[in-house]
């Protein structure tokens, strides 16, 4: 039996046929095109995209098994520099890849003694000393250099990319990863992430722009961005005051809204789940990056639990619980009886069975392994993101607001996504301004995914966000290669060329000089026939942006303004008349393409030939990012 067949059989034996089918589809789509025909004489970089907490690890393992069936023998599985996550991944690999020789960071002897008898997978943190040691380990073995290396970089957009690109230097982790690739004659480097923004904006020169990109859909029962961050917020989203986080830190009293209600919702939900046979229910609080605030929030929770313990017989306490119970019942109509839940949860509190745990850079791994069972309140910062999985996470209080928010970092903090949640009992407490940011990120994520699905190699993927929200950290983007365009600004070529004037005439034949609402696909056809003599304006880039809008909404409309017989000078730095500029500015939330057909007057610097000049204004107060095409 092949490694892949054996892996899928184990998944099916656990009753998860849907997951096995999804993995098989990913393998069938990727392996014949990109792995079976591997040349064994090159280093190929690829990208596997999946939604946050949607089962990427299972698909990674499936592709590793399929690669083992294609004669790959040495695998490296990279995690972020987080002991908790590295150990979580190592233990899962031991369990799920039982046909492999699975090695921890200190298992060099085990790796050498295996000597290719089984496919070997080494699970490593992206830590400079760990990577450097294994670079030396691989170099010293006589069976590695001649065999291809299959590297799977989980959360590849974190730490792996060169953070010194704009200083003409190479960051340590990036340099070590490149050195590991070069210990062998050939390799496949598979980047894996749910937030590919920084990877999509890499250059070919960097060596980290993917040769191919594949997106796999989440399975049945997944709760993701399209569940939580819709145009009309679902009842699972509960808005808090925008300033509540600072009030919690600064005031002695526990605020009556937000965090207090979130804790009560968690306790009631826990009561229902535990009384129904469950073994765990988690509540996540993400207040800030500051560890001092984590301790302050944990202290507030402890104080309120103590208050409940001493006042559970009082009507006011019971009434506070019942109010939240009723709000949960609006979505969970079959929730257990209130009296049963209240009795159970107050007993748990009085017997000190509610665990409050800190999870941050200050607290060690051994102190944070207890959230897989029981009723837990977990408070932390950056350690709450990037792959760490919290089972049966039902309640989240998120109030972290960054001064310059980054889309990929924020999305990785969205631990509410996943499968093992009761959708009816999910509650996410956050201020409206954060909900707006998450909704904007979700819109662009959907656009990226559709672009990947619609394009053969994902080469021309474009990204846009509202002003003030950045796609990723700027230190991993080559500022000389990433073009940035602003919505609401008019862009036109100073030195235009028409590829086919007659084709443009035909497309605009039925349009008199006026303004029209048209399909964005018509705009694409028009811009396919125009360009610039120099690099001041690129039709390809703007077509890419229009296709990005179409990917988000295939029926998207824009405004077309047509003007003929314009007598304008060449290279003057201006195109639109004041009237037409004001007309276009009226349409803030739509793409506006103005097509001027000029006389071509030789006295104005032209060659006497009539020519169409495009002017495009992208919608909204958004910033549009264009990386180097593959």
């Amino acid at each position: 039996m092949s490694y892949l067949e054996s892996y899928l059989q184990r998944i099916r034996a656990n009753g998860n046929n849907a997951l096995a089918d999804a993995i098989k589809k990913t393998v069938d789509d990727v392996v014949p095109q990109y792995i079976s025909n591997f040349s064994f004489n090159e280093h190929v970089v690829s990208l596997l995209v999946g939604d946050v907490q949607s089962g990427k690890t299972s698909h990674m393992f499936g592709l590793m098994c399929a690669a083992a069936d294609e004669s790959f023998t040495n695998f490296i599985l990279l995690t972020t520099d987080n002991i908790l996550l590295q150990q979580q991944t190592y233990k899962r690999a031991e369990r799920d890849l039982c046909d492999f020789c699975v090695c921890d960071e200190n298992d060099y002897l085990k790796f050498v003694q295996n000597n290719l008898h089984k496919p070997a997978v080494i699970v490593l943190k992206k830590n400079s000393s760990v990577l450097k040691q294994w670079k030396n380990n691989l170099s010293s073995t006589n069976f590695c250099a001649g065999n291809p290396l299959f590297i799977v970089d989980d959360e590849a957009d974190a730490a792996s990319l060169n953070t010194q690109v704009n200083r003409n230097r190479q960051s340590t982790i990036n340099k070590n990863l490149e050195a590991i690739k070069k210990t062998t004659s050939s390799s496949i480097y598979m980047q894996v992430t749910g937030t590919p923004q920084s990877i999509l904006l890499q250059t070919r020169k960097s060596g980290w722009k993917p040769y191919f990109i594949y997106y796999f859909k989440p399975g049945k029962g997944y709760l993701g961005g399209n569940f939580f961050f819709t145009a009309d917020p679902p009842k699972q989203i509960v808005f808090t005051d925008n300033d509540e986080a600072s009030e919690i830190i600064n005031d002695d009293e526990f605020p009556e809204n937000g965090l207090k209600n979130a804790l009560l919702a968690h306790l009631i939900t826990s009561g229902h789940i535990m009384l129904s046979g469950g073994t765990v229910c988690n509540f996540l609080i993400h207040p800030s990056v500051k560890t001092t605030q984590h301790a302050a929030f944990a202290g507030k929770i402890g104080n309120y639990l103590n208050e409940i313990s001493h006042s559970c017989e009082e009507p006011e306490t019971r009434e506070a619980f019942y109010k939240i119970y009723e709000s949960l019942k609006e979505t969970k109509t079959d929730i257990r009886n209130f009296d049963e839940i209240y009795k159970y949860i107050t007993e748990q509190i009085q017997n000190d069975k509610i665990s409050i745990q800190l999870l941050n850079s200050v607290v060690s791994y051994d102190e944070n392994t207890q959230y897989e069972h029981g009723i837990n309140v977990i408070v932390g910062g950056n350690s709450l993101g990037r792959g760490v999985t919290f089972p049966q996470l039902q309640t989240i209080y998120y109030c972290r607001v960054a001064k310059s928010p980054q889309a990929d970092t924020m999305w990785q903090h969205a631990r509410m996504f996943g499968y093992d949640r009761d959708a009816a009992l999910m509650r996410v407490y956050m201020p409206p301004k954060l909900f707006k940011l998450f909704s904007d990120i979700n819109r662009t994520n959907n656009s990226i995914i559709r672009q990947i699905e619609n394009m053969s190699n994902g080469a021309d993927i474009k990204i846009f966000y509202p002003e003030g929200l950045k796609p990723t950290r700027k230190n991993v983007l080559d500022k000389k290669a990433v073009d940035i365009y602003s919505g609401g600004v008019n862009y036109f070529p100073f030195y235009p060329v028409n590829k086919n004037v007659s084709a443009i005439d035909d497309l605009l034949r039925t349009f008199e000089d006026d303004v029209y609402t048209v399909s964005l696909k018509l705009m694409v056809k028009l811009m396919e026939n125009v360009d610039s003599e120099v690099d001041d304006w690129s039709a390809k880039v703007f077509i890419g942006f229009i296709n990005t809008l179409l990917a988000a909404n295939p029926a998207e409309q824009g405004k077309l303004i047509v003007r003929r017989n314009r007598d304008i000078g060449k290279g003057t730095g201006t195109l639109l008349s004041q009237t037409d500029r004001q007309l276009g500015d009226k349409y803030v939330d739509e793409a506006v393409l103005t097509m001027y057909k000029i006389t071509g007057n030789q006295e104005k610097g032209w060659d006497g030939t009539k020519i169409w000049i495009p002017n495009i204004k992208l919608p909204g107060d958004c910033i549009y990012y264009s990386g180097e095409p593959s």
Side-chain angles (χ1 to χ4, degrees):
M1 184 181 295
S2 72
Y3 293 104
L4 177 63
E5 289 172 347
S6 179
Y7 175 61
L8 295 177
Q9 188 177 78
R10 290 193 294 274
I11 292 174
R12 295 188 191 280
N14 289 327
N16 205 333
N17 289 326
L19 176 60
D21 291 341
I23 295 169
K24 183 66 164 55
K25 183 181 186 310
T26 296
V27 169
D28 289 345
D29 287 345
V30 172
V31 171
Q33 190 169 358
Y34 301 113
I35 297 179
S36 296
N37 61 0
F38 182 64
S39 67
F40 290 87
N41 65 2
E42 60 183 335
H43 298 281
V44 175
V45 177
S46 58
L47 173 60
L48 178 67
V49 179
D51 296 271
V52 170
Q53 297 197 141
S54 66
K56 293 189 294 295
T57 304
S58 298
H59 290 254
M60 285 159 40
F61 287 177
L63 287 168
M64 291 165 69
C65 289
D69 291 328
E70 296 287 340
S71 302
F72 284 82
T73 55
N74 295 324
F75 297 81
I76 291 178
L77 178 54
L78 301 167
T79 75
T80 51
D81 191 6
N82 180 305
I83 297 173
L84 175 62
L85 182 55
Q86 189 271 341
Q87 283 296 301
Q88 180 177 288
T89 305
Y90 169 67
K91 291 176 181 177
R92 181 166 176 182
E94 268 196 320
R95 183 194 72 195
D96 292 357
L97 299 176
C98 53
D99 299 332
F100 286 59
C101 173
V102 180
C103 302
D104 203 350
E105 293 178 344
N106 298 313
D107 288 340
Y108 175 59
L109 184 60
K110 180 180 180 181
F111 173 70
V112 171
Q113 289 177 341
N114 177 63
N115 197 23
L116 305 182
H117 292 304
K118 292 181 178 180
V121 55
I122 311 157
V123 184
L124 306 177
K125 295 192 301 292
K126 283 181 275 189
N127 172 280
S128 57
S129 60
V130 170
L131 296 176
K132 187 174 181 179
Q133 181 60 53
W134 273 94
K135 180 261 181 185
N136 294 332
N137 290 345
L138 294 170
S139 298
S140 64
T141 58
N142 59 9
F143 56 78
C144 288
N147 284 285
L149 189 59
F150 197 106
I151 304 172
V152 179
D153 188 350
D154 195 11
E155 307 300 347
D157 56 316
S160 302
L161 301 175
N162 184 13
T163 60
Q164 302 287 323
V165 62
N166 293 306
R167 299 180 181 179
N168 294 318
R169 297 203 296 266
Q170 193 171 11
S171 54
T172 304
I173 299 295
N174 186 257
K175 185 185 297 183
N176 287 330
L177 291 174
E178 187 174 294
I180 285 176
K181 286 195 289 182
K182 291 180 179 177
T183 60
T184 65
S185 59
S186 60
S187 67
I188 290 179
Y189 193 107
M190 180 168 285
Q191 303 163 305
V192 183
T193 186
T195 48
Q197 291 90 333
S198 60
I199 295 173
L200 296 173
L201 293 172
Q202 292 298 297
T203 64
R204 291 187 301 272
K205 180 182 176 182
S206 72
W208 300 94
K209 192 171 186 69
Y211 167 67
F212 73 87
I213 306 174
Y214 182 79
Y215 167 76
F216 70 88
K217 297 179 185 296
K220 185 178 180 182
Y222 174 75
L223 301 183
N226 291 333
F227 176 83
F228 292 101
F229 302 114
T230 56
D232 296 319
K235 290 184 177 179
Q236 283 81 356
I237 297 289
V238 183
F239 289 136
T240 64
D241 187 82
N242 280 324
D243 300 318
E244 182 179 286
S246 59
E247 292 173 4
I248 290 173
I249 296 298
N250 297 323
D251 294 349
D252 292 333
E253 294 295 322
F254 202 102
E256 288 300 315
N257 299 315
L259 184 60
K260 182 176 180 178
N261 289 342
L263 176 60
L264 296 180
H266 168 57
L267 295 173
I268 295 167
T269 298
S270 299
H272 171 86
I273 288 174
M274 295 303 197
L275 289 167
S276 302
T279 59
V280 62
C281 188
N282 283 313
F283 172 28
L284 202 60
I285 300 175
H286 193 145
S288 165
V289 295
K290 298 178 181 178
T291 55
T292 54
Q293 291 195 11
H294 304 163
F297 270 76
K300 292 280 187 179
I301 294 293
N303 291 340
Y304 189 55
L305 288 173
N306 188 53
E307 182 183 319
I308 294 172
S309 177
H310 290 94
S311 66
C312 59
E313 299 297 330
E314 297 179 7
E316 292 83 358
T317 302
R318 185 183 178 89
E319 183 179 338
F321 269 87
Y322 189 74
K323 181 179 179 181
I324 301 302
Y325 173 85
E326 286 289 293
S327 69
L328 288 168
K329 194 173 183 179
E330 291 179 16
T331 52
K332 184 68 174 178
T333 55
D334 59 344
I335 191 171
R336 299 180 78 96
N337 178 269
F338 173 75
D339 290 334
E340 180 187 20
I341 290 176
Y342 191 71
K343 180 176 182 295
Y344 172 83
I345 207 65
T346 52
E347 287 175 353
Q348 297 299 302
I349 295 171
Q350 291 174 334
N351 291 320
D352 200 24
K353 296 292 186 181
I354 311 299
S355 173
I356 303 173
Q357 302 179 44
L358 291 177
L359 186 58
N360 55 38
S361 58
V362 175
V363 186
S364 72
Y365 166 70
D366 291 338
E367 294 173 292
N368 286 280
T369 57
Q370 306 304 316
Y371 53 76
E372 294 184 354
H373 302 281
I375 302 173
N376 308 300
V377 180
I378 304 159
V379 187
N382 289 339
S383 295
L384 302 181
R386 289 290 174 193
V388 179
T389 302
F390 301 96
Q392 200 72 57
L393 178 59
Q394 290 292 149
T395 310
I396 290 179
Y397 180 90
Y398 188 100
C399 58
R400 173 179 173 176
V401 180
K403 291 181 180 178
S404 298
Q406 296 169 184
D408 52 1
T409 299
M410 282 191 65
W411 206 245
Q412 286 290 348
H413 292 157
R415 298 290 102 187
M416 69 283 289
F417 300 160
Y419 293 99
D420 67 335
R421 288 88 165 96
D422 184 329
L425 285 173
M426 279 294 311
R427 289 297 184 273
V428 179
Y429 291 76
M430 63 171 51
K433 60 184 177 183
L434 281 178
F435 178 82
K436 170 70 165 56
L437 283 173
F438 274 111
S439 298
D440 289 335
I441 296 169
N442 187 56
R443 178 184 62 166
T444 294
N445 284 356
N446 287 336
S447 171
I448 290 172
I449 288 166
R450 291 192 184 99
Q451 289 178 77
I452 292 173
E453 292 177 325
N454 293 339
M455 298 179 187
S456 59
N457 60 2
D460 196 29
I461 291 174
K462 299 290 188 288
I463 297 170
F464 65 94
Y465 291 103
E467 190 171 2
L469 177 62
K470 297 178 175 60
T472 187
R473 57 206 187 280
K474 63 181 180 181
N475 64 346
V476 298
L477 301 182
D478 186 343
K479 62 184 180 182
K480 297 188 297 294
V482 176
D483 293 322
I484 300 175
Y485 300 82
S486 298
V489 174
N490 290 292
Y491 294 97
F492 66 93
F494 281 10
Y495 303 99
V497 293
N498 285 180
K499 297 175 183 178
N500 191 329
V501 176
S502 297
I504 302 174
D505 288 339
D506 288 342
L507 287 168
L508 296 177
R509 193 174 304 282
T510 59
F511 294 92
E512 297 180 358
D513 286 15
D514 207 339
V515 57
Y516 302 89
T517 299
V518 299
S519 166
L520 292 187
K521 293 182 179 180
L522 174 60
M523 289 190 185
V524 170
K525 287 187 176 295
L526 288 166
M527 285 191 291
E528 285 174 345
N529 287 287
V530 295
D531 217 325
S532 176
E533 294 177 6
V534 296
D535 293 335
D536 66 316
W537 189 93
S538 170
K540 185 176 181 181
V541 167
F542 287 105
I543 289 171
F545 287 136
I546 296 299
N547 282 329
T548 300
L549 299 173
L550 282 168
N553 178 12
E556 185 83 17
Q557 301 284 295
K559 296 298 182 185
L560 173 66
I561 301 172
V562 180
R563 299 285 187 257
R564 295 174 175 85
N565 297 316
R566 296 284 160 156
D567 192 18
I568 297 171
K570 184 175 184 179
T572 61
T574 185
L575 176 69
L576 300 183
S577 68
Q578 183 177 354
T579 300
D580 287 337
R581 184 180 296 108
Q582 292 173 347
L583 176 61
D585 288 345
K586 288 171 51 180
Y587 307 108
V588 176
D589 298 322
E590 298 171 271
V592 180
L593 177 62
T594 303
M595 295 294 294
Y596 271 19
K597 190 172 187 181
I598 64 167
T599 59
N601 190 336
Q602 291 181 337
E603 294 179 359
K604 295 291 181 73
W606 304 98
D607 63 2
T609 305
K610 291 184 179 181
I611 187 174
W612 287 94
I613 305 179
N615 180 97
I616 186 163
K617 182 170 71 72
L618 297 167
D621 59 350
C622 291
I623 305 297
Y624 297 78
Y625 300 84
S626 176
E628 179 186 73
S630 293

